[in-house]
Amino acid sequence: MLTAAGRILLRDGMQAVRFDRVAAEAGASKTTLYKWWPSPGALAAEAYFAQSRRLLDFPDTGDVRADLVAQLRSFVRWLKDDGAEKPLSELIGAAQMDESLAQAWSESYALPRRELARQRLRIARRQGQLREDADLDIIVDQLWGACYHRLLVLRVPFDESIAERLVDQALHGAAPRGAGRPEPAATDRGAG
Amino acid sequence: MLTAAGRILLRDGMQAVRFDRVAAEAGASKTTLYKWWPSPGALAAEAYFAQSRRLLDFPDTGDVRADLVAQLRSFVRWLKDDGAEKPLSELIGAAQMDESLAQAWSESYALPRRELARQRLRIARRQGQLREDADLDIIVDQLWGACYHRLLVLRVPFDESIAERLVDQALHGAAPRGAGRPEPAATDRGAG
């Protein structure tokens, strides 16, 4: 049923994910759908999650810059080439006015995805590729949040080339070197 | 009419911004409203813009860090203390499925707001407070986009304390000093 809903979602958008259509496409009964999902919106959210699962695997090549760029590139390709841009915008849009959808979205997708990113970033911090005092949640906000900002708020086009620019600026900052806040002492590194 | 719509929007949310209610509250005729706005959603977007206008003024104290922190703090206060969080989420949410609202939103609010931020950041770059090669649009994405990410996508709470952390990490990066990309030669600075 999730696969059927995901196919409908990517092909025809969120409005098309209705219990009757999913039941017909999956060869299941509407009763079963009603039993498992509180609303078509919640079903669409889980279907999106299932379809995008392969995107969640975070590479660990030992080079956090390369891995972040690769992950962001694959996210942008998923949006732009695989048709996810419209259903993703619609899902997040609808979640702003539908509490059951919002909950399914957060629990099935947004928060688990952030946790996977955190895990990769913790390794990088332990290896000294990130500052000891780097705020990992803010890195996530400044990479994926930037894409969502262009997608949902500014509504301006962007392409894969944003990945490197986002990662480099998140890692190295926009201020000239030497204008920075104090670097923690070398002996602090790797302590936390 | 905009003031009346803005009052309704902040008090009762976006669903309450209907032409009949705004006409009644403003003492205007519905015909006038229909003439000026293609949809209640477009009216709500412009009313939001009018209400939030005072937030758009970008301070210029000569210290870009302080000015960015002040601007972000006032944005977070507007969301959390002045009641804008819900109508703003609903507006952006509805824009994902309503093309006329999306257009009003981008043209009246999101893009002009980004342009004001760019202007302030250009001054900072000219003064050497930002790298010559800093991508100013990415700074905007990494500050305001981060707030929108928590508000719309992750749906996690945040407060004013995020402002300093966002700005410091955007300015100085998450990588340890010395792990950076090459700094442009000093003679390049101020050329662009």
Side-chain angles (χ1 to χ4, degrees), chain A residues 15 89-90 92-97 99 102 105-106 110-111 114 128-131 134-135 137-139 141-142 145-146 148-150 152-156 165-166 168-177 179-181 183, chain B residues 15 89-90 92-97 99 102 105-106 110-111 114 128-131 134-135 137-139 141-142 145-146 148-150 152-156 165-166 168-177 179-181 183:
Chain A
Q15 304 302 326
S89 305
E90 291 174 344
I92 298 176
Q96 309 310 319
M97 281 174 278
E99 200 40 55
W105 170 260
S106 295
L111 296 177
R114 177 169 73 163
Q129 293 184 28
L130 298 175
R131 288 171 186 258
D135 185 320
D137 284 353
I138 282 187
I139 300 175
D141 293 326
Q142 292 187 329
Y148 283 111
H149 188 229
R150 295 197 181 192
L152 303 171
V153 180
L154 298 175
R155 302 179 59 88
V156 294
R165 288 180 291 133
L166 281 174
D168 282 334
Q169 205 146 301
L171 290 178
H172 305 301
R177 195 138 331 151
R181 55 183 170 182
E183 178 80 347
Chain B
Q15 304 301 326
S89 305
E90 291 174 344
I92 298 176
Q96 308 312 317
M97 281 175 278
E99 199 41 56
W105 169 261
S106 295
L111 296 177
R114 177 169 73 163
Q129 293 183 29
L130 298 175
R131 288 172 187 258
D135 186 319
D137 285 352
I138 281 187
I139 299 176
D141 293 325
Q142 291 187 331
Y148 284 111
H149 188 230
R150 295 197 182 193
L152 304 171
V153 180
L154 298 176
R155 302 179 59 87
V156 293
R165 288 180 291 132
L166 280 174
D168 282 334
Q169 205 146 302
L171 290 178
H172 305 302
R177 194 140 329 151
R181 54 185 170 181
E183 179 79 346

Side-chain angles (χ1 to χ4, degrees), chain B residues 85-159:
Chain B
E85 186 168 48
K86 184 165 180 287
L88 176 60
S89 305
E90 291 174 344
L91 266 173
I92 298 176
Q96 308 312 317
M97 281 175 278
D98 173 343
E99 199 41 56
S100 72
L101 171 55
Q103 204 174 328
W105 169 261
S106 295
E107 287 172 11
S108 305
Y109 182 80
L111 296 177
R113 191 182 169 93
R114 177 169 73 163
E115 186 51 34
L116 289 170
R118 279 175 177 162
Q119 286 169 14
R120 179 66 189 87
L121 293 170
R122 275 190 213 110
I123 294 171
R125 189 166 61 181
R126 216 155 43 226
Q127 293 172 335
Q129 293 183 29
L130 298 175
R131 288 172 187 258
E132 192 51 46
D133 62 348
D135 186 319
L136 305 186
D137 285 352
I138 281 187
I139 299 176
V140 175
D141 293 325
Q142 291 187 331
L143 297 177
W144 287 271
C147 297
Y148 284 111
H149 188 230
R150 295 197 182 193
L151 183 69
L152 304 171
V153 180
L154 298 176
R155 302 179 59 87
V156 293
F158 58 100
D159 61 30

Side-chain angles (χ1 to χ4, degrees), chain A residues 4 27-28 52 64 68 75 85 89 93-94 116 127 134 166 184:
Chain A
S52 63
V64 73
L68 290 172
F75 178 55
E85 185 168 49
S89 305
L116 289 170
Q127 292 172 336
L166 281 174

Side-chain angles (χ1 to χ4, degrees), chain A residues 53-64:
Chain A
R53 190 180 295 273
R54 64 186 167 82
L55 282 179
L56 291 171
D57 286 331
F58 231 99
D60 183 358
T61 66
D63 175 350
V64 73

Side-chain angles (χ1 to χ4, degrees), chain A residues 1 33 41 67 79 91 96 111-112 118 150 169 171 173 182:
Chain A
M1 289 180 289
L33 286 161
D67 293 348
L79 295 178
L91 267 173
Q96 309 310 319
L111 296 177
R118 279 174 177 163
R150 295 197 181 192
Q169 205 146 301
L171 290 178

Side-chain angles (χ1 to χ4, degrees), chain A residues 118-132:
Chain A
R118 279 174 177 163
Q119 286 170 15
R120 178 66 190 86
L121 293 170
R122 276 192 211 109
I123 294 171
R125 189 165 61 180
R126 216 156 43 227
Q127 292 172 336
Q129 293 184 28
L130 298 175
R131 288 171 186 258
E132 194 51 46

